[in-house]
Amino acid sequence: MSTDGPAAGGQRAHWERTYTEHPGMYGEQPSTAAVRAAEVFRAHGVGDVLELGAGHGRDALFFARQGFTVHATDFSPAGIGQLRSAARREGLPVTATVHDVRQPLPLPDGSVGAVFAHMLLCMALSTAEIHALVGEVRRVLRPGGVFVYTVRHTGDAHFGAGVGHGDDIWEHGGFAVHFFSRALVDSLAEGWVLDEVAPFEEGELPRRLWRVTQRTARPGGPQRRSPAPSAAGRRTP
């Protein structure tokens, strides 16, 4: 096991090179997580979405086509450039910003209705950095705002394989992943209303993920109990 965590600069350079060499690498169709998130956002009357780790923008563009006003961020200038070009071609209401989530989010307090992050929290972020980011998400959400995120978890076949960096971070093919335990999911939901922890699979291998939906409480509003862990959740430490 490596005693040095994957450097943020190294991961940023790796993703920048990947997006440059493979434009639109994830295709034009939205992720299944984004399709589900759009349904959740509509059910809560949300009209604006902040996407973190938007990459070249397949999900951000989908949200905009669905009528949401979108602010998308990613730490890759190449990915954001591709997103901006696509949004301009379609005339979609997307603001795209180069931003590293290790820094405070570039939005005022209580300024957005929903935040979406597909496999962003499970990148090469330490547990402390993930907690800080979720704190920032809570800061920028309005009361009753919705946060939907997806993460690979410790039931994934790649967990424990490859180069280990500690803190449940494992590196494969140059990409570092922080695999989530159910305990980490629960700790990130403290002080929130946790609506759902849903297991699903995506891509080759396949990758095993959780889709987590949690909300900031409305003043005086009812609180919903957290759901019982899924079968996938019970198998993980």
Side-chain angles (χ1 to χ4, degrees):
M1 175 179 289
S2 169
T3 57
D4 297 322
Q11 285 294 292
R12 187 184 300 110
H14 189 71
W15 278 101
E16 180 71 1
R17 184 168 57 254
T18 300
Y19 282 128
T20 299
E21 295 175 355
H22 306 281
M25 61 184 288
Y26 293 111
E28 297 181 359
Q29 295 302 309
S31 66
T32 57
V35 174
R36 173 57 181 157
E39 297 171 354
V40 171
F41 297 157
R42 284 196 200 94
H44 287 281
V46 170
D48 55 329
V49 178
L50 168 66
E51 183 181 1
L52 307 176
H56 63 76
R58 63 170 179 158
D59 289 341
L61 297 170
F62 165 74
F63 288 133
R65 294 184 195 112
Q66 295 298 304
F68 295 98
T69 299
V70 180
H71 187 164
T73 73
D74 196 276
F75 69 179
S76 167
I80 287 295
Q82 292 167 30
L83 195 166
R84 286 172 177 159
S85 295
R88 281 196 299 268
R89 284 195 303 271
E90 297 189 43
L92 294 171
V94 178
T95 299
T97 304
V98 176
H99 177 260
D100 189 326
V101 294
R102 293 173 179 84
Q103 304 300 318
L105 295 177
L107 289 173
D109 296 359
S111 60
V112 67
V115 176
F116 176 73
H118 183 36
M119 289 198 288
L120 180 277
L121 272 68
C122 62
M123 290 183 66
L125 300 170
S126 69
T127 297
E129 289 169 333
I130 293 167
H131 274 276
L133 172 56
V134 172
E136 276 293 289
V137 169
R138 185 172 183 174
R139 178 184 66 79
V140 303
L141 280 172
R142 293 189 284 270
V146 186
F147 182 28
V148 175
Y149 71 89
T150 67
V151 289
R152 294 174 74 176
H153 59 68
T154 52
D156 188 283
H158 275 165
F159 176 65
V163 179
H165 295 283
D167 203 13
D168 286 341
I169 298 174
W170 294 84
E171 186 175 341
H172 309 264
F175 295 101
V177 176
H178 189 141
F179 293 90
F180 273 48
S181 67
R182 177 59 197 249
L184 178 55
V185 170
D186 288 342
S187 69
L188 294 173
E190 291 180 3
W192 296 70
V193 180
L194 179 58
D195 286 336
E196 183 180 44
V197 181
F200 71 103
E201 296 181 348
E202 181 179 274
E204 298 179 359
L205 190 63
R207 293 184 292 270
R208 292 182 176 177
L209 303 99
W210 284 319
R211 184 185 65 248
V212 182
T213 303
Q214 57 192 56
R215 295 176 286 118
T216 57
R218 294 182 184 276
Q223 302 297 305
R224 186 178 304 178
R225 292 180 62 186
S226 301
S230 65
R234 288 194 295 269
R235 287 198 301 268
T236 59

